Amino acid sequence: GEDVEQSLFLSVREGDSSVINCTYTDSSSTYLYWYKQEPGAGLQLLTYIFSNMDMKQDQRLTVLLNKKDKHLSLRIADTQTGDSAIYFCAEGVTGGGNKLTFGTGTQLKVEL
Amino acid sequence: DSGVTQTPKHLITATGQRVTLRCSPRSGDLSVYWYQQSLDQGLQFLIQYYNGEERAKGNILERFSAQQFPDLHSELNLSSLELGDSALYFCASSITSGSTDTQYFGPGTRLTVL
């Protein structure tokens, strides 16, 4: 079955790095995604990683995937107040369609 | 802006009523997905359509139904509404229905059932 877990809350100081963690259970995941949701807004795709990759870097964002432990992380370098939002990891699972299973979301608070 | 549009933005209705949520996918996308975001259930996949045909079904109640029209827009119909149906309903679209296709989300429709 599919289950995606995240810690609920993370607080960092502006300029520090943030690391948001996620664990998933379905080994048939093809892509793993990170989405950002700002208050009152929709889901913005931040980045994604194919399940046979270990790392992907995209400007301030670094995604690390440990497939053996089914652990995914998102590192945001030089975190800014505009990064305050809820971050969702999601796994895309093969087998009938292309549904995404989302984690519970991690609320990132960036303090001055 | 993802290119996915949803209407209306907000909807307030009473228990027992029926509502229709509308979604227009990004230009060129053939797949449409519906998700529900609520406080107690989180973000849950409801249903997927690809080029007019139902492709995958998730935790969608029998009181809910959806369809995708020839112009590829989709509607989610919610009937016999209950207080617990209050949620944010997202539509997403992707080019095809493949498992490697990235889904782009619309801004959502916030449904409040009183």
Side-chain angles (χ1 to χ4, degrees):
Chain A
E2 309 127 8
D3 193 17
V4 181
E5 295 188 356
Q6 299 177 240
S7 52
L8 290 179
F9 190 76
L10 175 65
S11 179
V12 299
R13 288 188 183 275
E14 189 177 42
D16 287 351
S17 291
S18 308
V19 179
I20 302 171
N21 295 300
C22 170
T23 57
Y24 61 98
T25 57
D26 198 315
S27 57
S28 62
S29 301
T30 51
Y31 277 95
L32 294 140
Y33 300 85
W34 285 102
Y35 284 87
K36 176 183 179 182
Q37 185 177 31
E38 295 180 85
L43 292 165
Q44 175 194 353
L45 176 66
L46 285 178
T47 187
Y48 58 90
I49 187 168
F50 190 49
S51 58
N52 69 353
M53 295 171 63
D54 298 324
M55 186 184 92
K56 179 180 179 181
Q57 186 148 4
D58 187 357
Q59 299 182 329
R60 291 191 297 124
L61 306 178
T62 303
V63 179
L64 294 177
L65 175 59
N66 181 328
K67 196 167 184 181
K68 175 176 167 288
D69 294 336
K70 297 191 178 70
H71 182 264
L72 180 74
S73 68
L74 173 70
R75 179 177 179 268
I76 305 173
D78 187 25
T79 314
Q80 303 297 307
T81 54
D83 295 323
S84 293
I86 300 176
Y87 291 79
F88 291 92
C89 67
E91 58 174 344
V93 179
T94 55
N98 183 24
K99 71 171 193 173
L100 293 178
T101 299
F102 283 87
T104 50
T106 298
Q107 181 158 3
L108 174 65
K109 183 178 178 183
V110 182
E111 297 174 323
L112 296 171
Chain B
D1 184 359
S2 66
V4 179
T5 60
Q6 290 187 247
T7 56
K9 195 168 181 178
H10 301 279
L11 201 47
I12 301 174
T13 188
T15 53
Q17 295 298 304
R18 173 189 167 95
V19 297
T20 297
L21 313 184
R22 184 188 167 103
C23 167
S24 292
R26 293 185 321 157
S27 177
D29 284 0
L30 298 178
S31 260
V32 170
Y33 311 77
W34 287 97
Y35 291 83
Q36 179 195 59
Q37 185 179 32
S38 62
L39 284 174
D40 54 343
Q41 299 287 329
L43 256 168
Q44 291 210 26
F45 168 75
L46 295 178
I47 198 162
Q48 177 198 358
Y49 279 80
Y50 171 69
N51 207 19
E53 300 286 327
E54 183 183 303
R55 181 55 64 99
K57 216 167 185 175
N59 299 322
I60 187 166
L61 299 171
E62 283 191 15
R63 300 183 285 109
F64 296 1
S65 64
Q67 54 184 326
Q68 186 179 27
F69 294 87
D71 67 353
L72 301 176
H73 91 271
S74 177
E75 291 181 357
L76 178 67
N77 300 296
L78 315 176
S79 62
S80 303
L81 285 167
E82 302 175 0
L83 296 176
D85 297 327
S86 294
L88 196 49
Y89 291 84
F90 286 111
C91 169
S93 72
S94 67
I95 295 173
T96 67
S97 68
S99 58
T100 57
D101 281 354
T102 301
Q103 295 180 32
Y104 293 90
F105 282 74
T109 293
R110 183 169 294 281
L111 173 66
T112 303
V113 182
L114 300 174

